[in-house]
Amino acid sequence: MNIKALFSAASVFFLLSFSASTSAQSLYQDLGELEGIDQLNERFVINLVEDRRISHHFEQTDLARLHQMLTEQFCELAGGPCVYSGDDMVTSHTGLNITRSDFNALVEALQLAMDDQGIAIGAQNRLLALLAPMHHEVVNR
Amino acid sequence: MNLRYSTLAIASALCLGLSTQAHAAGGGLLATGGVTTVEGSAGGGIVPWAVMSGYAEEGEWGGTVSLSRASVDDFNLSVTAASFSFDNRFEFSVARQSFDLSTIGGELNQNVIGAKYRLAGDLIFDRLPQISLGVQYKQNNRFGLPEAVGAQRDSDWDAYIAVSRAWLAGPFDRTWLANATVRATRANQTGLLGFGGDESDSYELVAEAAVGVFLHRSLAVGLEYRQKPDNLSFAKEDDWMTAFIAWFPTKSVSVTGAFVDLGDIAGLTSQQGYYLSLQAAF
């Protein structure tokens, strides 16, 4: 077992892959378009309100509207033909005192929903990467 | 202080704590605490990363206990380690290393106490990568052999700065992790052969690095590299390399396996073999 050769091979693989990481299919299609995103968010919202770590944040929430806003937002982010009509992330989360752990619990709820929806790991990662920049707009507001 | 017993006591206490709770205590995301290095600090197998052990986020505490073993041609290394982390900011660790000289005969051992402080940034979410400063105090308990081959002292400090970053959707739409660490050290074979030597007794900066990719949320593969000083004239000391696979079936448990290439050790050439580590975390 020659680990030096393995290192060289891995470096080449790493460099090459940076130039070849553009996706052939749009994320919107990978998420199952509007119908798939709608189903995903139904599961997502159910997971959120059933998660004892964060369900208290949703006691006063209009869940049907949350579902609708998430679907518009994910659809637009994924490159679909939607326009998000809700409040910006800072406005909609100010005063909720969402902690880093709460945010992580939300990520886990979304991951479970994506697993249940049969979304491939690559598409899951691309959606999460689009949502990650909202962390600082949501946490500790 | 008898570190063997304090390590065992902490390990037992943490195991007890773990067994009485059904869920991970900390709110961190899966695998973000890394695994336990041979020196007890959180990271990969041989390189301390900027990550904090366990899953403690702001206002929470977490920790790990682990058992590790590296077996190469002429040596076996066993490590028992425990760590405690708080507030996604501080990490404290203890490790007990036993280095079995199967061919030469005998055993070397040392204790390592570590502390790590997250200076800035975040592994995933912040604009800055996670940057941490760490120290390790090492006490060699079998200094006879190291002293005979030229080591200058039986205990010493290492200090390091580590930068870690994960990309959620990197190449091939997989989550990637990279870590770079710079360490100031005088340790010979991490301290198992003492500190400083007849050729050099001053601190040296060494570079350490890791890169990994998550094939799935719970399964990562990667490579690590650790540069080492070469202070003793009796035998050349080589850099270390590993190729690892780490599995996180749950937040509570992880298993790490690796091929390791430790180079020449104490005149015995090309020491290669395997590494296996079990970690419980919360």
Side-chain angles (χ1 to χ4, degrees):
Chain A
M1 162 98 214
N2 187 335
I3 295 192
K4 276 176 186 154
L6 196 61
F7 263 83
S8 314
S11 314
V12 171
F13 166 86
F14 192 65
L15 290 173
L16 283 178
S17 57
F18 270 116
S19 54
S21 61
T22 49
S23 309
Q25 206 180 1
S26 82
L27 179 58
Y28 180 66
Q29 288 168 315
D30 287 343
L31 295 176
E33 304 193 341
L34 193 55
E35 192 186 343
I37 293 171
D38 187 74
Q39 287 171 6
L40 167 66
N41 283 319
E42 189 171 333
R43 293 172 191 266
F44 181 29
V45 169
I46 291 169
N47 290 349
L48 288 174
V49 298
E50 286 184 348
D51 190 328
R52 279 184 295 176
R53 296 172 295 178
I54 49 174
S55 55
H56 59 279
H57 285 304
F58 301 97
E59 281 165 4
Q60 309 297 322
T61 305
D62 178 346
L63 296 178
R65 181 179 148 79
L66 176 63
H67 178 196
Q68 176 64 25
M69 289 303 107
L70 285 167
T71 298
E72 283 182 14
Q73 188 182 42
F74 287 13
C75 171
E76 184 177 348
L77 276 173
C82 309
V83 179
Y84 174 61
S85 62
D87 294 327
D88 66 75
M89 288 291 101
V90 174
T91 305
S92 56
H93 293 91
T94 297
L96 296 181
N97 299 315
I98 292 171
T99 66
R100 287 174 56 91
S101 284
D102 292 341
F103 189 91
N104 292 337
L106 176 140
V107 170
E108 289 170 4
L110 178 56
Q111 286 174 327
L112 288 177
M114 291 192 291
D115 286 349
D116 286 347
Q117 193 68 11
I119 295 169
I121 189 75
Q124 292 195 14
N125 287 339
R126 283 150 71 201
L127 180 58
L128 291 173
L130 291 170
L131 297 170
M134 297 173 186
H135 186 267
H136 76 280
E137 300 173 331
V138 169
V139 170
N140 295 332
R141 291 285 171 181
Chain B
M1 168 165 58
N2 190 327
L3 239 153
R4 166 167 263 162
Y5 292 113
S6 37
T7 305
L8 280 175
I10 292 173
S12 316
L14 291 176
C15 282
L16 203 65
L18 282 174
S19 60
T20 55
Q21 59 190 65
H23 299 285
L29 288 169
L30 185 67
T32 49
V35 295
T36 306
T37 62
V38 291
E39 290 162 322
S41 308
I46 57 172
V47 177
W49 299 352
V51 299
M52 296 285 124
S53 73
Y55 291 101
E57 286 286 5
E58 282 170 6
E60 300 171 348
W61 62 282
T64 60
V65 290
S66 68
L67 291 171
S68 308
R69 182 177 175 84
S71 186
V72 293
D73 298 292
D74 297 296
F75 305 98
N76 291 303
L77 174 67
S78 302
V79 185
T80 311
S83 75
F84 170 84
S85 65
F86 181 68
D87 206 24
N88 187 32
R89 183 63 74 178
F90 299 97
E91 174 193 299
F92 299 96
S93 59
V94 289
R96 167 87 177 182
Q97 299 176 334
S98 297
F99 194 62
D100 185 17
L101 314 169
S102 4
T103 305
I104 302 169
E107 182 205 287
L108 298 169
N109 71 55
Q110 73 168 340
N111 300 323
V112 184
I113 303 175
K116 197 192 289 180
Y117 177 76
R118 183 175 63 84
L119 287 172
D122 187 70
L123 183 64
I124 301 170
F125 294 116
D126 202 82
R127 287 191 181 83
L128 279 175
Q130 187 151 329
I131 305 167
S132 298
L133 196 62
V135 291
Q136 293 172 339
Y137 178 75
K138 301 172 174 181
Q139 171 73 53
N140 189 305
N141 303 315
R142 297 284 169 84
F143 193 55
L145 175 63
E147 190 170 31
V149 298
Q152 301 296 302
R153 64 201 78 237
D154 67 355
S155 62
D156 205 9
W157 292 85
D158 277 6
Y160 62 89
I161 186 163
V163 181
S164 298
R165 185 61 157 188
W167 292 269
L168 288 172
F172 302 105
D173 293 333
R174 288 299 180 276
T175 299
W176 290 73
L177 177 132
N179 178 85
T181 300
V182 176
R183 181 196 301 254
T185 184
R186 290 186 287 204
N188 310 315
Q189 300 294 0
T190 79
L192 287 162
L193 284 178
F195 307 86
D198 53 332
E199 289 194 336
S200 167
D201 189 33
S202 49
Y203 271 97
E204 185 179 334
L205 290 180
V206 290
E208 305 174 7
V211 60
V213 57
F214 283 86
L215 304 176
H216 186 264
R217 283 204 292 282
S218 61
L219 189 68
V221 295
L223 303 168
E224 282 195 302
Y225 188 91
R226 176 165 171 170
Q227 199 181 20
K228 315 239 305 312
D230 187 12
N231 297 327
L232 299 170
S233 62
F234 92 105
K236 178 168 69 82
E237 177 165 348
D238 281 330
D239 297 349
W240 283 0
M241 287 176 274
T242 73
F244 67 83
I245 180 163
W247 181 43
F248 299 80
T250 73
K251 279 198 203 174
S252 303
V253 181
S254 66
V255 185
T256 306
F259 291 108
V260 299
D261 183 348
L262 307 185
D264 296 358
I265 296 180
L268 296 169
T269 57
S270 190
Q271 297 295 313
Q272 297 186 343
Y274 72 87
Y275 172 77
L276 189 64
S277 179
L278 289 169
Q279 175 182 272
F282 62 100

